[in-house]
Amino acid sequence: MAYNVTAIVGARPNYMKVAPIWRALDGRDDVTRTLVHTGQHYDENMSKIFFDDLQLPRPDVYLGVGSGPHGAQTGRVMTELEVVFGKNRPDILIVVGDVNSTMAGALAAVKMGIPVAHVEAGLRSFDREMPEEINRMVTDVVSDLLFTTSKEAEPNLLREGVDIEKIHFVGNVMIDSLDFYRPMAEQSQILGQVGVEKSRYGLVTLHRPTNVDDPSVLKGVLGALEKIGETCPLVFPVHPRTRNMMKENKIEVTESRIKILNPIGYLDFVKLMMNARIVLTDSGGIQEETTVLGIPCLTIRENTERPVTVEIGTNRLVGMNPDRIVDEGVKILGGDVPPGKIPERWDGKAAPRIVQVLDEYGNE
Ligand code: UD1
């Protein structure tokens, strides 16, 4: 039976999750696809560059909601989406990850009787101070199809009352993208452009409100990174939230230890990750990507919704205490590298599994 599917993207980590699903639907005359970009992220290097790198088709609909407080941003996405859904009446809405656009999309759809499929369901940090944790819980509870990346997601969902029939352990679409785009990333010239050599630098990302919104925490973390940068220079593409906080609070770093870059595209970032000696991050997706690449990763957070990357991958959770970050960094640079295994079904085939479930759902 033919069906009509709409997918929502809004923020940087969404694009590489939708790309493999869209590709798995290529050439399907029986499936009508609509890609909606909410405009939560709008700078060229937070949005357009990813469409180019991932060869994603331009969005069919662009909402242009922009930045704002949580309620305003979520409300604007819902208001705009009601109009879009009223016109195109999708048979199913796909939302990915845990950003505000994800939750807003799911809520707008379920209230209009449109079934929701959540890709990356059931991740829990058990930290309700994270806006993403609220987005994950709300999205999961209203979704009809819950696609999980790892086994521990299932008990998390069952505990919250989700029907087991709705849960599908399909694997990790981020890894579909990593596998697919890796040969293209190999061609990137970013190492030479930045002036670093393979295995002789570390890579940093930092953008979580808990790390960057409080200037004293941000200063402490950057101070720890500077110390690590004395022995191993760090490359740091800076998220706009972090850049704004550094600027407002006049926080600076030593260029020879930490090379500051503007946000970069997916292919350049993958190239930098693949060749790094160490990655230090507070991102969710990077914990997963480094696990698959076998690159040691220190996660600068008190908790993670992706425990499998610590249990069997190359990730270590080090918290935000500067001394601890330095100690753990020194260990890795001294060769104490966590041995890593690749989690089950992170095999580059998650998107075809998702499409198979969508097809069955459409035929019910
Ligand atoms: C959002 C997600 C977070 C995700 C991150 C990836 C939520 C609640 N958070 O956080 O889960 O890990 O994206 O990047 O959805 N800004 C720009 N240009 C842009 C986008 C943002 O300058 O294109 C600045 C604005 O000052 C804005 C701030 O960054 O206020 C924060 O943007 P926002 O989308 O609210 O949250 P992120 O921190 O990006």
Side-chain angles (χ1 to χ4, degrees):
M1 211 171 66
Y3 62 95
N4 170 359
V5 49
T6 293
I8 307 279
V9 292
R12 185 166 63 173
N14 295 159
Y15 316 123
M16 50 290 232
K17 294 174 191 170
V18 168
I21 303 173
W22 242 223
R23 203 170 43 251
L25 288 167
D26 271 347
R28 289 278 302 263
D29 296 339
D30 55 335
V31 182
T32 309
R33 292 176 284 180
T34 306
L35 185 60
V36 179
H37 190 320
T38 65
Q40 174 173 345
H41 284 173
Y42 42 85
D43 285 351
E44 190 161 324
N45 54 14
M46 297 292 285
S47 179
K48 182 178 175 296
I49 191 169
F50 288 85
F51 280 80
D52 297 342
D53 278 2
L54 302 168
Q55 296 160 3
L56 254 177
R58 293 286 165 262
D60 301 289
V61 183
Y62 184 77
L63 305 179
V65 300
S67 300
H70 288 272
Q73 190 176 57
T74 307
R76 279 203 295 272
V77 176
M78 288 183 70
T79 309
E80 298 290 332
L81 280 180
E82 277 181 351
V83 179
V84 175
F85 295 159
K87 282 190 199 143
N88 80 345
R89 289 296 321 174
D91 296 311
I92 186 126
L93 177 75
I94 299 178
V95 294
V96 297
D98 55 16
V99 302
N100 283 348
S101 299
T102 309
M103 179 186 70
L107 277 179
V110 73
K111 293 211 168 198
M112 294 177 79
I114 296 162
V116 177
H118 183 205
V119 176
E120 219 178 65
L123 298 181
R124 295 291 180 270
S125 65
F126 304 101
D127 175 2
R128 290 196 185 196
E129 283 179 26
M130 280 182 88
E132 294 81 3
E133 182 77 351
I134 308 299
N135 293 342
R136 290 189 278 261
M137 292 169 70
V138 172
T139 304
D140 284 339
V141 85
V142 300
S143 290
D144 300 87
L145 293 173
L146 294 102
F147 294 117
T148 61
T149 56
S150 64
K151 283 223 169 109
E152 37 308 333
E154 185 172 301
N156 290 342
L157 292 168
L158 296 179
R159 214 178 306 113
E160 291 169 16
V162 172
D163 181 351
I164 197 163
E165 301 286 313
K166 295 180 176 177
I167 304 171
H168 302 270
F169 173 35
V170 292
N172 193 336
V173 281
M174 282 282 268
I175 307 308
D176 289 25
S177 277
L178 188 62
D179 280 3
F180 185 81
Y181 297 103
R182 220 159 139 172
M184 284 167 249
E186 295 277 8
Q187 307 302 315
S188 154
Q189 300 301 314
I190 188 77
L191 267 61
Q193 287 159 8
V194 176
V196 289
E197 285 173 42
K198 184 175 168 50
S199 305
R200 296 213 169 164
Y201 66 93
L203 178 63
V204 175
T205 81
L206 216 55
H207 75 283
R208 294 266 160 231
T210 42
N211 277 329
V212 309
D213 283 5
D214 177 341
S216 64
V217 176
L218 180 57
K219 266 190 200 155
V221 172
L222 289 175
L225 296 177
E226 283 227 0
K227 284 202 183 127
I228 295 172
E230 275 172 33
T231 36
C232 176
L234 302 178
V235 178
F236 182 15
V238 183
H239 186 283
R241 176 190 280 276
T242 314
R243 181 194 60 212
N244 294 344
M245 288 306 296
M246 288 174 72
K247 206 168 155 198
E248 270 170 35
N249 295 286
K250 302 191 173 53
I251 303 174
E252 286 176 6
V253 293
T254 316
E255 173 67 27
S256 59
R257 297 177 193 166
I258 305 183
K259 286 176 196 285
I260 297 277
L261 310 183
N262 285 322
I264 55 176
Y266 181 74
L267 300 177
D268 285 342
F269 192 80
V270 170
K271 174 86 177 195
L272 279 174
M273 242 184 333
M274 289 188 312
N275 291 288
R277 188 158 157 205
I278 180 172
V279 172
L280 300 112
T281 189
D282 59 7
S283 147
I286 293 169
Q287 298 172 51
E288 299 180 338
E289 290 165 333
T290 48
T291 280
V292 169
L293 294 170
I295 302 291
C297 175
L298 295 184
T299 294
I300 305 175
R301 285 174 48 187
E302 299 297 343
N303 50 55
T304 178
E305 60 291 328
R306 290 156 161 97
V308 72
T309 60
V310 178
E311 282 152 19
I312 70 166
T314 50
N315 186 22
R316 275 183 189 155
L317 202 55
V318 297
M320 285 122 79
N321 177 292
D323 293 337
R324 170 105 200 269
I325 298 170
V326 175
D327 287 350
E328 297 286 344
V330 167
K331 272 193 216 162
I332 301 249
L333 296 176
D336 177 6
V337 171
K341 278 200 302 195
I342 298 180
E344 196 183 343
R345 297 197 194 166
W346 291 20
D347 56 1
K349 298 187 183 86
R353 290 189 193 106
I354 288 174
V355 169
Q356 198 182 344
V357 176
L358 294 178
D359 287 347
E360 283 160 16
Y361 187 78
N363 280 321
E364 268 170 18

